[in-house]
Amino acid sequence: MYSMMNFLLSSVARIVSRDPCSCAQRWIQIPGIWRSMAHSSMVAGNTNQWVIDIRSDTVTKPSKAMREAMATAEVGDDVYGEDPTVNELQRKISDLFGMEAALFVPTGTMGNLISIMSHCQGRGLQALLGDKAHICMYEQGGIAQIAGVQPYTLKNLPDGTFDLEEVVANIRTGLDLHQARTQLICVENSHNLCGGSVLPLEWLKKLRDIAADHGILIHMDGARVLNAATTLKVKPSEILQYCDSVNMCFSKGLGAPVGSVVAGKKDFITTAVRMRKVLGGGMRQVGVLAAAALVSLEQIYPRLHLDHDKAKLIAKAVNEVHCSKVHVNLKSVQTNIVMVDFYDGLSASEFCQRIGQVTEQEKVQLGEEIVVKMSAFGTARARFVTHCDISDEDVQQAVKKFQYIIQEYAAT
């Protein structure tokens, strides 16, 4: 019994953080039992390793408050519109976004597809979107494959926008019977592949004016729109006043386990309900998931700025080594996403593999085993994303690891 207690105690790490959410209880499996754990970075099977998982903000675990809300949620059949927790969530989102109605959906990919299908009710329609848009790059071409809409890509600029003159030049009115008619413009905010950049409000206003002049609708892939609002220090409604619809994820920066939400006008949501059903997204007693989303709005949204601060801190530390092979454009770090660029033959995959390993020499020099998980995006760029499960101490450890590895490459 004594040895078992020692084993359990050695599996628990306690930290003190200015971010209370990063101290929320997490859960790991220990042989034969479940045990709450104050620190998400120590892993079962190797309690000597400090693992910082910043591949994405989708890797978070539901907090104790979320689990309790899920366990006690009042539920009903949401397909009948009778789940009170879902209805409460949809009302709160409508108010927050300044939109008439909202719809809880399983995923962000489905939310974007539902929105496109709801706006583009007909054949021979086209949507304009950036060439680095998530809808274009990471949703299996559902806009064409399932919605039957022709995507036309515009070159994304580094800040996530695209040239407005190019927008105007590529609007198809339908007067030429050879061409698909432009029905929709899709924007992304914050912009993932553009390093979490935030679309300027003035640019959105100009885009809205162009769209209105041509009778075109605007959909925002706002998976992380609350991160964008946090950076701009505005209410989400100030961003979304320029859009006809939005899709937002609860399972990214907001730290909930599942779910997204689509919002827009009432007639749009009426159509969206039908689109959700045909895509298999109609859920029944789903208040158990909506409950976690409500907690994320109340507890995680107000502290998103801390994730942004942590992202900037690590990004600055990367550049402090002054290695010609590794660099971050600090001006592009606006939210919780950081893109790291590699040069002189160093590949993103090699760097990500190395930073996720611990060598014997490293153990001796650092006196500990630190593992950082991040993702390669192409051959010469990698991404890391801070989130609510990353504590101040995690950041310090990540900085230590980054600088150690970068110094290795600087010496070669």
Side-chain angles (χ1 to χ4, degrees), residues 19-34:
D19 179 1
C21 292
S22 65
C23 294
Q25 286 184 318
R26 309 294 179 205
W27 299 82
I28 63 166
Q29 192 170 12
I30 298 175
I33 66 168
W34 284 91

Side-chain angles (χ1 to χ4, degrees), residues 159 161 164 189 198-209 220 225 228-229 231-243 334:
D159 64 355
T161 65
L164 294 177
N189 197 19
V198 177
L199 301 181
L201 290 178
E202 184 60 29
W203 181 84
L204 280 172
K205 183 179 184 301
K206 291 178 180 178
L207 183 67
R208 170 78 273 173
D209 291 341
M220 178 175 287
V225 70
T231 292
L232 293 175
K233 298 181 179 180
V234 300
K235 296 178 180 178
S237 57
E238 292 186 47
I239 297 173
L240 297 173
Q241 64 180 312
Y242 303 116
C243 302
Q334 298 179 356

Side-chain angles (χ1 to χ4, degrees), residues 357-377:
Q357 298 172 337
V358 179
T359 65
E360 291 301 320
Q361 182 180 1
E362 181 182 339
K363 290 180 190 178
V364 173
Q365 292 181 340
L366 293 183
E368 55 190 332
E369 299 180 38
I370 305 171
V371 171
V372 173
K373 295 182 178 182
M374 57 187 294
S375 302
F377 274 63

Side-chain angles (χ1 to χ4, degrees), residues 333-350:
V333 183
Q334 298 179 356
T335 54
N336 64 325
I337 297 175
V338 177
M339 292 294 186
V340 185
D341 295 310
F342 303 98
Y343 305 91
D344 299 338
L346 176 59
S347 70
S349 59
E350 178 187 339

